[in-house]
Amino acid sequence: MNVKQTGFDPTRRLILKGVAVVALASLGVAKFKLMPAFAAANDKYPEDAFKQKSSDDAIKSLYGKAAEPSDKVKLDAPEIAENGAVVPISVSSTLADVTSISILVVENPNALAASYKIPAGTIPSVANRLKMARTSKVIAVVEAGGKVYSATKEVKVTVGGCGG
């Protein structure tokens, strides 16, 4: 049978079903008042820490004290990064009450590359693709229970980088 015999176009029917699904989904979002995630307020942005040239100064600016090495901070980074423009880095922790995670690249022009506030009840794990100027130590810093812990790994950059 063709469209002339039945009076229904299957493509039109699929489009109408799709529109109906989108409309119902929109009503569901409105009904449950789902809220988008918002970035932290600008007054809490650690501007001074991001301007620091050394990793020690950046850590002290962020946390007010030095970090102690811990095997409960897991830093996952490649040993060799073929492109310094996109180096995948992830940090996780088995520590309790994690409130923040930061990533520093020692040899970059500004050491602090990323800093995250971890809300209560959230799995303490972050991932990012960082730009690295050259071969460098990468430091993961985790604040948990009022103390500051770290893990370090050397990442060799073979090509690219951010020119610092």
Side-chain angles (χ1 to χ4, degrees), residues 91-106:
V91 180
S92 60
S93 178
T94 57
L95 293 163
D97 301 321
V98 173
T99 55
S100 83
I101 297 176
S102 298
I103 305 170
L104 297 96
V105 181
V106 175

Side-chain angles (χ1 to χ4, degrees), residues 46-65:
E47 185 174 349
D48 186 51
F50 277 102
K51 291 180 179 178
Q52 300 300 318
K53 302 297 181 196
S54 79
S55 58
D56 291 338
D57 290 344
I59 292 170
K60 284 185 181 172
S61 179
L62 273 174
Y63 302 107
K65 53 190 159 193

Side-chain angles (χ1 to χ4, degrees), residues 98-99 117-123:
V98 173
T99 55
K117 295 290 183 191
I118 308 298
T122 305
I123 295 172

